Amino acid sequence: EIVMTQSPATLSVSPGERATLSCRASQSFSSNLAWYQQKPGQAPRLLIYGASTRATDIPARFSGSGSGTEFTLTISSLQSEDFAVYYCQQYYNWPYTFGQGTKLEIK
Amino acid sequence: EVQLVESGGGLVQPGGSLRLSCAASGFTFSSYEMNWVRQAPGKGLAWVSYITSGGGTIYYADSVKGRFTISRDNARNSLYLQMNSLRAEDTAIYYCARASRETSGYFPHYHYSYYMDVWGKGTTVTVSS
């Protein structure tokens, strides 16, 4: 099983600033990596797939990068609606596994 | 509008059974693989089960193997999760999620993988005496 580790657990950033979230995999794979956003009381929403492709209707301020074992989600200029929990997930091998999440909070 | 709506959650005693349903609309359900994903209270996401579009291939997480059964009825645009021998640790919100395929590699050695692009709002299962 591929273990996904996200860091930091909590990230405090001011609106308008840049946020960088990290995700590390225990085994290397190419680009089968997705990022999801989850707000309190809501279902997860797909942001990024293929490590760097934005999903439909996702704003350009969200970008993903990385391959192998190191992946990054960058939010270039934080808006109030971006404060949420973010999960990475590998879909390279079964069982598909998620990171434990990074909570992005307002500083 | 593409939509997934889960139902069937509730309170059940340990050892009991429950059947979850997921109604799909706004897309050709029979063309998509599907997943169940759960989230325990205050915890992260955990994949539970996967089924191919025709139902011919199924996978389970080790934590539910032998107790849960995924199925689908393409004529009814519905996905199901039969949960037996329920335990307290199965308490969670259960989401159904559509799987979209990504193809990599080169002919004839293609590698297919599936990201979850559409999620339902979830149904809550509580296992407690």
Side-chain angles (χ1 to χ4, degrees):
Chain A
E1 172 176 318
I2 299 177
V3 177
M4 306 300 292
T5 303
Q6 292 185 241
S7 61
T10 304
L11 183 61
S12 299
V13 183
S14 300
E17 292 190 341
R18 181 187 197 90
T20 302
L21 289 66
S22 296
C23 177
R24 174 175 291 178
S26 62
Q27 300 174 34
S28 180
F29 53 88
S30 179
S31 60
N32 306 106
L33 191 284
W35 289 94
Y36 302 90
Q37 177 194 67
Q38 188 178 35
K39 297 179 180 178
Q42 295 186 17
R45 177 175 73 143
L46 176 68
L47 296 176
I48 300 285
Y49 64 93
S52 61
T53 303
R54 277 190 304 278
T56 303
D57 295 332
I58 300 304
R61 64 180 181 274
F62 290 90
S63 64
S65 63
S67 66
T69 61
E70 301 286 342
F71 300 88
T72 301
L73 175 69
T74 302
I75 311 171
S76 59
S77 178
L78 279 162
Q79 308 297 303
S80 58
E81 61 266 29
D82 299 336
F83 293 95
V85 178
Y86 291 83
Y87 295 94
C88 63
Q89 180 228 342
Q90 67 81 19
Y91 53 97
Y92 178 72
N93 265 349
W94 297 101
Y96 289 175
T97 48
F98 293 86
Q100 80 281 17
T102 290
K103 182 179 181 181
L104 182 57
E105 63 177 28
I106 300 174
K107 187 174 182 179
Chain B
E1 179 194 3
V2 174
Q3 198 171 11
L4 297 170
V5 179
E6 302 91 338
S7 60
L11 174 64
V12 61
Q13 292 189 338
S17 298
L18 216 51
R19 188 194 196 207
L20 306 183
S21 299
C22 171
S25 59
F27 66 99
T28 305
F29 179 72
S30 60
S31 296
Y32 284 86
E33 285 67 33
M34 297 293 296
N35 294 277
W36 287 100
V37 177
R38 68 184 180 183
Q39 185 170 36
K43 303 296 185 183
L45 302 169
W47 168 78
V48 172
S49 186
Y50 160 92
I51 186 169
T52 50
S53 57
T57 297
I58 286 172
Y59 300 127
Y60 296 102
D62 285 346
S63 58
V64 306
K65 204 173 293 183
R67 299 187 300 122
F68 289 12
T69 302
I70 190 172
S71 63
R72 64 191 297 160
D73 184 338
N74 287 340
R76 295 179 183 270
N77 292 332
S78 293
L79 176 72
Y80 305 103
L81 187 67
Q82 177 67 42
M83 304 186 296
N84 298 332
S85 303
L86 282 161
R87 307 166 180 167
E89 54 265 34
D90 296 317
T91 294
I93 299 172
Y94 284 75
Y95 299 100
C96 66
R98 189 178 78 171
S100 278
R101 190 168 79 179
E102 202 171 70
T103 304
S104 58
Y106 300 92
F107 180 84
H109 305 294
Y110 290 130
H111 175 78
Y112 299 114
S113 54
Y114 302 87
Y115 56 92
M116 301 177 206
D117 66 338
V118 178
W119 295 63
K121 289 181 165 49
T123 187
T124 300
V125 172
T126 303
V127 184
S128 175
S129 54

Short mmCIF file of all heavy atoms in Angstrom, two decimals, chain B residues 5-70:
data_model
loop_
_atom_site.label_atom_id
_atom_site.label_comp_id
_atom_site.label_asym_id
_atom_site.label_seq_id
_atom_site.Cartn_x
_atom_site.Cartn_y
_atom_site.Cartn_z
N VAL B 5 -26.59 11.17 -5.42
CA VAL B 5 -27.33 11.34 -4.17
C VAL B 5 -27.34 10.03 -3.41
O VAL B 5 -27.94 9.05 -3.87
CB VAL B 5 -28.76 11.83 -4.43
CG1 VAL B 5 -29.50 11.98 -3.10
CG2 VAL B 5 -28.76 13.14 -5.20
N GLU B 6 -26.69 10.03 -2.24
CA GLU B 6 -26.63 8.84 -1.40
C GLU B 6 -27.84 8.79 -0.46
O GLU B 6 -28.38 9.83 -0.08
CB GLU B 6 -25.35 8.81 -0.56
CG GLU B 6 -24.06 8.84 -1.34
CD GLU B 6 -23.55 10.26 -1.56
OE1 GLU B 6 -24.35 11.20 -1.49
OE2 GLU B 6 -22.33 10.42 -1.79
N SER B 7 -28.21 7.57 -0.07
CA SER B 7 -29.27 7.38 0.91
C SER B 7 -29.06 6.05 1.60
O SER B 7 -28.21 5.24 1.18
CB SER B 7 -30.65 7.41 0.22
OG SER B 7 -30.73 6.38 -0.75
N GLY B 8 -29.83 5.82 2.66
CA GLY B 8 -29.79 4.54 3.33
C GLY B 8 -29.02 4.51 4.63
O GLY B 8 -28.99 3.48 5.33
N GLY B 9 -28.37 5.62 4.98
CA GLY B 9 -27.63 5.66 6.23
C GLY B 9 -28.56 5.67 7.43
O GLY B 9 -29.78 5.83 7.30
N GLY B 10 -27.97 5.48 8.61
CA GLY B 10 -28.77 5.50 9.83
C GLY B 10 -28.01 4.93 10.99
O GLY B 10 -26.80 4.68 10.90
N LEU B 11 -28.74 4.70 12.08
CA LEU B 11 -28.17 4.12 13.30
C LEU B 11 -28.41 2.61 13.29
O LEU B 11 -29.55 2.17 13.08
CB LEU B 11 -28.82 4.76 14.52
CG LEU B 11 -28.44 4.18 15.89
CD1 LEU B 11 -26.96 4.38 16.17
CD2 LEU B 11 -29.31 4.82 16.98
N VAL B 12 -27.36 1.85 13.51
CA VAL B 12 -27.47 0.40 13.52
C VAL B 12 -26.61 -0.14 14.65
O VAL B 12 -25.58 0.44 15.00
CB VAL B 12 -27.05 -0.18 12.15
CG1 VAL B 12 -25.60 0.16 11.83
CG2 VAL B 12 -27.28 -1.68 12.08
N GLN B 13 -27.03 -1.25 15.22
CA GLN B 13 -26.28 -1.88 16.31
C GLN B 13 -25.06 -2.63 15.76
O GLN B 13 -25.08 -3.09 14.60
CB GLN B 13 -27.17 -2.83 17.09
CG GLN B 13 -28.27 -2.13 17.88
CD GLN B 13 -29.00 -3.09 18.80
OE1 GLN B 13 -28.99 -4.30 18.59
NE2 GLN B 13 -29.62 -2.55 19.83
N PRO B 14 -24.03 -2.77 16.59
CA PRO B 14 -22.88 -3.59 16.15
C PRO B 14 -23.34 -4.98 15.75
O PRO B 14 -24.20 -5.59 16.41
CB PRO B 14 -22.00 -3.63 17.41
CG PRO B 14 -22.34 -2.38 18.14
CD PRO B 14 -23.81 -2.15 17.90
N GLY B 15 -22.78 -5.47 14.64
CA GLY B 15 -23.18 -6.75 14.11
C GLY B 15 -24.34 -6.68 13.12
O GLY B 15 -24.64 -7.66 12.44
N GLY B 16 -24.94 -5.52 13.02
CA GLY B 16 -26.09 -5.35 12.14
C GLY B 16 -25.70 -5.09 10.70
O GLY B 16 -24.52 -5.10 10.32
N SER B 17 -26.72 -4.85 9.87
CA SER B 17 -26.53 -4.64 8.44
C SER B 17 -27.23 -3.37 7.99
O SER B 17 -28.18 -2.91 8.62
CB SER B 17 -27.09 -5.83 7.65
OG SER B 17 -26.42 -7.02 7.96
N LEU B 18 -26.73 -2.85 6.88
CA LEU B 18 -27.31 -1.66 6.28
C LEU B 18 -27.00 -1.70 4.79
O LEU B 18 -25.95 -2.21 4.39
CB LEU B 18 -26.69 -0.42 6.91
CG LEU B 18 -27.51 0.85 7.16
CD1 LEU B 18 -28.81 0.56 7.89
CD2 LEU B 18 -26.69 1.86 7.93
N ARG B 19 -27.90 -1.17 3.97
CA ARG B 19 -27.64 -1.09 2.54
C ARG B 19 -27.70 0.37 2.10
O ARG B 19 -28.75 1.02 2.24
CB ARG B 19 -28.66 -1.90 1.75
CG ARG B 19 -28.33 -2.01 0.26
CD ARG B 19 -29.50 -2.51 -0.52
NE ARG B 19 -29.11 -2.99 -1.85
CZ ARG B 19 -29.92 -2.99 -2.90
NH1 ARG B 19 -31.16 -2.53 -2.78
NH2 ARG B 19 -29.50 -3.45 -4.08
N LEU B 20 -26.60 0.87 1.58
CA LEU B 20 -26.55 2.23 1.07
C LEU B 20 -26.85 2.23 -0.42
O LEU B 20 -26.51 1.29 -1.14
CB LEU B 20 -25.18 2.84 1.32
CG LEU B 20 -24.66 2.82 2.75
CD1 LEU B 20 -23.32 3.54 2.82
CD2 LEU B 20 -25.66 3.41 3.71
N SER B 21 -27.46 3.32 -0.87
CA SER B 21 -27.73 3.50 -2.30
C SER B 21 -27.17 4.83 -2.75
O SER B 21 -27.02 5.77 -1.96
CB SER B 21 -29.24 3.48 -2.57
OG SER B 21 -29.81 2.25 -2.21
N CYS B 22 -26.86 4.90 -4.03
CA CYS B 22 -26.38 6.14 -4.64
C CYS B 22 -27.08 6.28 -5.99
O CYS B 22 -26.88 5.44 -6.87
CB CYS B 22 -24.86 6.10 -4.80
SG CYS B 22 -24.16 7.46 -5.77
N ALA B 23 -27.89 7.31 -6.12
CA ALA B 23 -28.62 7.55 -7.36
C ALA B 23 -27.86 8.55 -8.22
O ALA B 23 -27.54 9.65 -7.75
CB ALA B 23 -30.02 8.08 -7.06
N ALA B 24 -27.59 8.17 -9.46
CA ALA B 24 -26.82 9.01 -10.37
C ALA B 24 -27.74 9.65 -11.40
O ALA B 24 -28.71 9.03 -11.85
CB ALA B 24 -25.75 8.19 -11.07
N SER B 25 -27.42 10.89 -11.78
CA SER B 25 -28.17 11.57 -12.82
C SER B 25 -27.27 12.57 -13.53
O SER B 25 -26.24 12.99 -13.00
CB SER B 25 -29.40 12.28 -12.23
OG SER B 25 -29.00 13.22 -11.25
N GLY B 26 -27.65 12.93 -14.75
CA GLY B 26 -26.92 13.95 -15.50
C GLY B 26 -25.75 13.43 -16.30
O GLY B 26 -25.03 14.21 -16.95
N PHE B 27 -25.50 12.13 -16.28
CA PHE B 27 -24.43 11.53 -17.08
C PHE B 27 -24.79 10.07 -17.37
O PHE B 27 -25.71 9.52 -16.76
CB PHE B 27 -23.08 11.64 -16.37
CG PHE B 27 -22.95 10.86 -15.09
CD1 PHE B 27 -22.32 9.62 -15.06
CD2 PHE B 27 -23.45 11.36 -13.89
CE1 PHE B 27 -22.19 8.92 -13.87
CE2 PHE B 27 -23.33 10.66 -12.71
CZ PHE B 27 -22.71 9.43 -12.69
N THR B 28 -24.04 9.48 -18.28
CA THR B 28 -24.31 8.08 -18.66
C THR B 28 -23.67 7.16 -17.63
O THR B 28 -22.49 6.79 -17.73
CB THR B 28 -23.76 7.80 -20.06
OG1 THR B 28 -24.31 8.75 -20.99
CG2 THR B 28 -24.14 6.38 -20.50
N PHE B 29 -24.45 6.81 -16.62
CA PHE B 29 -23.96 6.04 -15.47
C PHE B 29 -23.27 4.75 -15.91
O PHE B 29 -22.22 4.39 -15.36
CB PHE B 29 -25.14 5.73 -14.54
CG PHE B 29 -24.78 4.92 -13.33
CD1 PHE B 29 -24.06 5.48 -12.28
CD2 PHE B 29 -25.19 3.60 -13.23
CE1 PHE B 29 -23.74 4.74 -11.16
CE2 PHE B 29 -24.88 2.84 -12.11
CZ PHE B 29 -24.15 3.41 -11.07
N SER B 30 -23.82 4.08 -16.88
CA SER B 30 -23.30 2.78 -17.29
C SER B 30 -21.91 2.85 -17.92
O SER B 30 -21.28 1.81 -18.14
CB SER B 30 -24.27 2.11 -18.27
OG SER B 30 -24.44 2.92 -19.42
N SER B 31 -21.44 4.05 -18.21
CA SER B 31 -20.12 4.21 -18.83
C SER B 31 -19.01 4.49 -17.82
O SER B 31 -17.84 4.60 -18.20
CB SER B 31 -20.14 5.37 -19.84
OG SER B 31 -21.02 5.09 -20.91
N TYR B 32 -19.36 4.61 -16.56
CA TYR B 32 -18.38 5.02 -15.55
C TYR B 32 -18.16 3.99 -14.47
O TYR B 32 -19.11 3.36 -13.98
CB TYR B 32 -18.82 6.33 -14.88
CG TYR B 32 -18.62 7.55 -15.75
CD1 TYR B 32 -19.59 7.93 -16.65
CD2 TYR B 32 -17.45 8.30 -15.65
CE1 TYR B 32 -19.41 9.05 -17.46
CE2 TYR B 32 -17.27 9.43 -16.44
CZ TYR B 32 -18.25 9.78 -17.35
OH TYR B 32 -18.07 10.90 -18.14
N GLU B 33 -16.89 3.85 -14.07
CA GLU B 33 -16.58 3.14 -12.84
C GLU B 33 -17.00 4.01 -11.65
O GLU B 33 -17.12 5.22 -11.78
CB GLU B 33 -15.08 2.87 -12.77
CG GLU B 33 -14.57 1.76 -13.67
CD GLU B 33 -14.66 2.05 -15.17
OE1 GLU B 33 -14.52 3.22 -15.56
OE2 GLU B 33 -14.91 1.11 -15.95
N MET B 34 -17.21 3.36 -10.53
CA MET B 34 -17.70 4.07 -9.34
C MET B 34 -16.98 3.61 -8.08
O MET B 34 -16.44 2.49 -8.04
CB MET B 34 -19.21 3.85 -9.15
CG MET B 34 -20.08 4.39 -10.27
SD MET B 34 -20.09 6.18 -10.40
CE MET B 34 -20.83 6.67 -8.85
N ASN B 35 -16.98 4.48 -7.08
CA ASN B 35 -16.33 4.19 -5.80
C ASN B 35 -17.24 4.53 -4.63
O ASN B 35 -18.14 5.37 -4.74
CB ASN B 35 -15.07 5.05 -5.63
CG ASN B 35 -13.98 4.73 -6.61
OD1 ASN B 35 -13.20 3.80 -6.41
ND2 ASN B 35 -13.90 5.50 -7.68
N TRP B 36 -16.94 3.91 -3.50
CA TRP B 36 -17.42 4.37 -2.19
C TRP B 36 -16.20 4.82 -1.39
O TRP B 36 -15.18 4.13 -1.37
CB TRP B 36 -18.16 3.27 -1.44
CG TRP B 36 -19.52 2.95 -1.98
CD1 TRP B 36 -19.87 1.92 -2.80
CD2 TRP B 36 -20.73 3.68 -1.73
NE1 TRP B 36 -21.22 1.97 -3.08
CE2 TRP B 36 -21.77 3.03 -2.43
CE3 TRP B 36 -21.05 4.81 -0.96
CZ2 TRP B 36 -23.10 3.47 -2.39
CZ3 TRP B 36 -22.37 5.25 -0.93
CH2 TRP B 36 -23.38 4.59 -1.63
N VAL B 37 -16.34 5.96 -0.74
CA VAL B 37 -15.29 6.52 0.11
C VAL B 37 -15.96 6.92 1.42
O VAL B 37 -17.09 7.40 1.42
CB VAL B 37 -14.65 7.76 -0.55
CG1 VAL B 37 -13.60 8.41 0.38
CG2 VAL B 37 -14.01 7.40 -1.89
N ARG B 38 -15.27 6.74 2.55
CA ARG B 38 -15.88 7.10 3.82
C ARG B 38 -14.99 8.04 4.62
O ARG B 38 -13.78 8.15 4.36
CB ARG B 38 -16.22 5.86 4.65
CG ARG B 38 -15.03 5.07 5.17
CD ARG B 38 -15.52 3.81 5.89
NE ARG B 38 -14.42 3.02 6.41
CZ ARG B 38 -14.59 1.84 7.03
NH1 ARG B 38 -15.82 1.34 7.18
NH2 ARG B 38 -13.55 1.18 7.49
N GLN B 39 -15.61 8.68 5.59
CA GLN B 39 -14.91 9.64 6.43
C GLN B 39 -15.45 9.51 7.85
O GLN B 39 -16.59 9.90 8.12
CB GLN B 39 -15.08 11.05 5.90
CG GLN B 39 -14.28 12.10 6.64
CD GLN B 39 -14.31 13.44 5.91
OE1 GLN B 39 -15.31 13.83 5.32
NE2 GLN B 39 -13.19 14.16 5.96
N ALA B 40 -14.65 8.96 8.73
CA ALA B 40 -15.03 8.84 10.15
C ALA B 40 -15.09 10.24 10.77
O ALA B 40 -14.45 11.17 10.28
CB ALA B 40 -14.03 7.96 10.88
N PRO B 41 -15.86 10.40 11.84
CA PRO B 41 -16.01 11.72 12.46
C PRO B 41 -14.68 12.37 12.80
O PRO B 41 -13.85 11.77 13.50
CB PRO B 41 -16.83 11.42 13.72
CG PRO B 41 -17.58 10.18 13.39
CD PRO B 41 -16.68 9.37 12.52
N GLY B 42 -14.45 13.55 12.28
CA GLY B 42 -13.23 14.30 12.56
C GLY B 42 -11.97 13.75 11.91
O GLY B 42 -10.86 14.21 12.22
N LYS B 43 -12.11 12.79 11.03
CA LYS B 43 -10.96 12.13 10.40
C LYS B 43 -10.89 12.43 8.92
O LYS B 43 -11.71 13.16 8.37
CB LYS B 43 -11.04 10.61 10.62
CG LYS B 43 -11.12 10.20 12.07
CD LYS B 43 -9.88 10.57 12.85
CE LYS B 43 -9.91 10.04 14.27
NZ LYS B 43 -8.72 10.48 15.05
N GLY B 44 -9.89 11.84 8.26
CA GLY B 44 -9.69 12.04 6.84
C GLY B 44 -10.49 11.06 5.99
O GLY B 44 -11.33 10.31 6.48
N LEU B 45 -10.21 11.12 4.69
CA LEU B 45 -10.93 10.29 3.73
C LEU B 45 -10.29 8.92 3.60
O LEU B 45 -9.06 8.80 3.66
CB LEU B 45 -10.92 10.99 2.37
CG LEU B 45 -11.53 12.39 2.34
CD1 LEU B 45 -11.21 13.08 1.03
CD2 LEU B 45 -13.03 12.31 2.56
N ALA B 46 -11.12 7.90 3.39
CA ALA B 46 -10.62 6.54 3.22
C ALA B 46 -11.42 5.85 2.12
O ALA B 46 -12.66 5.78 2.21
CB ALA B 46 -10.72 5.76 4.52
N TRP B 47 -10.73 5.38 1.10
CA TRP B 47 -11.39 4.65 0.03
C TRP B 47 -11.91 3.32 0.57
O TRP B 47 -11.24 2.64 1.36
CB TRP B 47 -10.40 4.42 -1.11
CG TRP B 47 -10.90 3.45 -2.12
CD1 TRP B 47 -11.81 3.69 -3.12
CD2 TRP B 47 -10.56 2.08 -2.23
NE1 TRP B 47 -12.03 2.54 -3.83
CE2 TRP B 47 -11.28 1.54 -3.31
CE3 TRP B 47 -9.70 1.24 -1.51
CZ2 TRP B 47 -11.18 0.20 -3.69
CZ3 TRP B 47 -9.58 -0.09 -1.89
CH2 TRP B 47 -10.33 -0.59 -2.97
N VAL B 48 -13.12 2.92 0.13
CA VAL B 48 -13.77 1.71 0.63
C VAL B 48 -13.87 0.63 -0.45
O VAL B 48 -13.50 -0.52 -0.22
CB VAL B 48 -15.18 2.03 1.16
CG1 VAL B 48 -15.95 0.76 1.52
CG2 VAL B 48 -15.09 2.96 2.37
N SER B 49 -14.39 1.01 -1.63
CA SER B 49 -14.65 -0.01 -2.64
C SER B 49 -14.78 0.63 -4.01
O SER B 49 -15.08 1.82 -4.14
CB SER B 49 -15.93 -0.79 -2.29
OG SER B 49 -16.14 -1.87 -3.18
N TYR B 50 -14.57 -0.20 -5.04
CA TYR B 50 -14.58 0.23 -6.45
C TYR B 50 -15.27 -0.84 -7.28
O TYR B 50 -15.14 -2.04 -7.00
CB TYR B 50 -13.14 0.42 -6.90
CG TYR B 50 -12.89 0.40 -8.40
CD1 TYR B 50 -12.90 1.57 -9.14
CD2 TYR B 50 -12.59 -0.80 -9.06
CE1 TYR B 50 -12.64 1.57 -10.50
CE2 TYR B 50 -12.34 -0.82 -10.43
CZ TYR B 50 -12.35 0.37 -11.14
OH TYR B 50 -12.08 0.36 -12.48
N ILE B 51 -15.99 -0.38 -8.31
CA ILE B 51 -16.63 -1.32 -9.23
C ILE B 51 -16.52 -0.76 -10.64
O ILE B 51 -16.70 0.44 -10.87
CB ILE B 51 -18.10 -1.57 -8.83
CG1 ILE B 51 -18.73 -2.66 -9.70
CG2 ILE B 51 -18.92 -0.29 -8.88
CD1 ILE B 51 -20.08 -3.15 -9.17
N THR B 52 -16.21 -1.63 -11.60
CA THR B 52 -16.13 -1.19 -12.98
C THR B 52 -17.52 -0.93 -13.55
O THR B 52 -18.54 -1.29 -12.95
CB THR B 52 -15.40 -2.23 -13.84
OG1 THR B 52 -15.98 -3.52 -13.62
CG2 THR B 52 -13.92 -2.27 -13.52
N SER B 53 -17.56 -0.33 -14.73
CA SER B 53 -18.82 0.10 -15.32
C SER B 53 -19.80 -1.04 -15.51
O SER B 53 -21.00 -0.89 -15.32
CB SER B 53 -18.56 0.81 -16.65
OG SER B 53 -17.85 -0.05 -17.53
N GLY B 54 -19.29 -2.20 -15.87
CA GLY B 54 -20.15 -3.36 -16.08
C GLY B 54 -20.28 -4.25 -14.86
O GLY B 54 -20.99 -5.26 -14.89
N GLY B 55 -19.56 -3.92 -13.80
CA GLY B 55 -19.62 -4.70 -12.58
C GLY B 55 -18.69 -5.91 -12.56
O GLY B 55 -18.72 -6.69 -11.60
N GLY B 56 -17.88 -6.07 -13.60
CA GLY B 56 -17.07 -7.27 -13.69
C GLY B 56 -15.83 -7.30 -12.82
O GLY B 56 -15.30 -8.37 -12.49
N THR B 57 -15.35 -6.13 -12.41
CA THR B 57 -14.18 -6.06 -11.54
C THR B 57 -14.51 -5.22 -10.31
O THR B 57 -15.06 -4.13 -10.43
CB THR B 57 -12.97 -5.46 -12.28
OG1 THR B 57 -12.62 -6.30 -13.37
CG2 THR B 57 -11.78 -5.32 -11.35
N ILE B 58 -14.17 -5.76 -9.16
CA ILE B 58 -14.49 -5.12 -7.87
C ILE B 58 -13.27 -5.19 -6.96
O ILE B 58 -12.57 -6.21 -6.93
CB ILE B 58 -15.69 -5.84 -7.21
CG1 ILE B 58 -16.99 -5.48 -7.93
CG2 ILE B 58 -15.78 -5.54 -5.73
CD1 ILE B 58 -18.20 -6.28 -7.49
N TYR B 59 -13.03 -4.11 -6.24
CA TYR B 59 -11.97 -4.09 -5.23
C TYR B 59 -12.55 -3.57 -3.92
O TYR B 59 -13.46 -2.76 -3.91
CB TYR B 59 -10.82 -3.16 -5.66
CG TYR B 59 -10.13 -3.53 -6.94
CD1 TYR B 59 -9.97 -2.60 -7.96
CD2 TYR B 59 -9.62 -4.80 -7.15
CE1 TYR B 59 -9.34 -2.91 -9.14
CE2 TYR B 59 -8.99 -5.14 -8.34
CZ TYR B 59 -8.85 -4.19 -9.33
OH TYR B 59 -8.22 -4.51 -10.51
N TYR B 60 -11.93 -4.04 -2.81
CA TYR B 60 -12.31 -3.58 -1.47
C TYR B 60 -11.07 -3.21 -0.68
O TYR B 60 -10.00 -3.81 -0.84
CB TYR B 60 -13.05 -4.68 -0.72
CG TYR B 60 -14.37 -5.10 -1.33
CD1 TYR B 60 -14.46 -6.28 -2.07
CD2 TYR B 60 -15.51 -4.33 -1.15
CE1 TYR B 60 -15.65 -6.67 -2.64
CE2 TYR B 60 -16.72 -4.72 -1.72
CZ TYR B 60 -16.78 -5.89 -2.46
OH TYR B 60 -17.97 -6.28 -3.02
N ALA B 61 -11.24 -2.26 0.23
CA ALA B 61 -10.23 -2.02 1.24
C ALA B 61 -10.18 -3.23 2.18
O ALA B 61 -11.21 -3.87 2.42
CB ALA B 61 -10.55 -0.76 2.03
N ASP B 62 -9.00 -3.53 2.71
CA ASP B 62 -8.86 -4.68 3.60
C ASP B 62 -9.80 -4.58 4.81
O ASP B 62 -10.28 -5.59 5.31
CB ASP B 62 -7.41 -4.80 4.09
CG ASP B 62 -6.49 -5.34 3.01
OD1 ASP B 62 -6.99 -5.87 2.00
OD2 ASP B 62 -5.26 -5.23 3.19
N SER B 63 -10.06 -3.35 5.26
CA SER B 63 -10.86 -3.14 6.46
C SER B 63 -12.31 -3.56 6.29
O SER B 63 -13.02 -3.76 7.29
CB SER B 63 -10.80 -1.67 6.88
OG SER B 63 -11.26 -0.85 5.83
N VAL B 64 -12.78 -3.71 5.05
CA VAL B 64 -14.19 -4.07 4.84
C VAL B 64 -14.35 -5.37 4.04
O VAL B 64 -15.48 -5.85 3.87
CB VAL B 64 -14.95 -2.94 4.11
CG1 VAL B 64 -14.78 -1.62 4.86
CG2 VAL B 64 -14.53 -2.81 2.66
N LYS B 65 -13.25 -5.94 3.59
CA LYS B 65 -13.31 -7.13 2.76
C LYS B 65 -13.98 -8.26 3.51
O LYS B 65 -13.69 -8.52 4.69
CB LYS B 65 -11.89 -7.54 2.35
CG LYS B 65 -11.79 -8.37 1.09
CD LYS B 65 -10.33 -8.56 0.68
CE LYS B 65 -9.67 -7.27 0.26
NZ LYS B 65 -8.28 -7.48 -0.20
N GLY B 66 -14.93 -8.93 2.84
CA GLY B 66 -15.65 -10.02 3.47
C GLY B 66 -16.89 -9.59 4.22
O GLY B 66 -17.71 -10.43 4.62
N ARG B 67 -17.05 -8.28 4.45
CA ARG B 67 -18.22 -7.77 5.17
C ARG B 67 -19.08 -6.86 4.28
O ARG B 67 -20.31 -6.83 4.45
CB ARG B 67 -17.76 -6.97 6.39
CG ARG B 67 -16.96 -7.77 7.39
CD ARG B 67 -16.69 -6.96 8.66
NE ARG B 67 -15.93 -5.73 8.41
CZ ARG B 67 -16.36 -4.51 8.72
NH1 ARG B 67 -17.53 -4.34 9.30
NH2 ARG B 67 -15.60 -3.45 8.47
N PHE B 68 -18.46 -6.13 3.38
CA PHE B 68 -19.17 -5.20 2.51
C PHE B 68 -19.23 -5.76 1.09
O PHE B 68 -18.29 -6.43 0.64
CB PHE B 68 -18.48 -3.84 2.47
CG PHE B 68 -18.58 -3.03 3.74
CD1 PHE B 68 -19.03 -3.57 4.93
CD2 PHE B 68 -18.19 -1.70 3.74
CE1 PHE B 68 -19.11 -2.82 6.08
CE2 PHE B 68 -18.26 -0.93 4.88
CZ PHE B 68 -18.72 -1.49 6.06
N THR B 69 -20.32 -5.45 0.39
CA THR B 69 -20.47 -5.86 -1.01
C THR B 69 -20.94 -4.67 -1.84
O THR B 69 -21.99 -4.09 -1.55
CB THR B 69 -21.48 -7.00 -1.15
OG1 THR B 69 -21.06 -8.12 -0.37
CG2 THR B 69 -21.59 -7.44 -2.61
N ILE B 70 -20.16 -4.33 -2.85
CA ILE B 70 -20.54 -3.26 -3.77
C ILE B 70 -21.26 -3.88 -4.96
O ILE B 70 -20.93 -4.98 -5.40
CB ILE B 70 -19.31 -2.44 -4.21
CG1 ILE B 70 -19.71 -1.18 -4.96
CG2 ILE B 70 -18.37 -3.30 -5.06
CD1 ILE B 70 -18.53 -0.24 -5.26
#
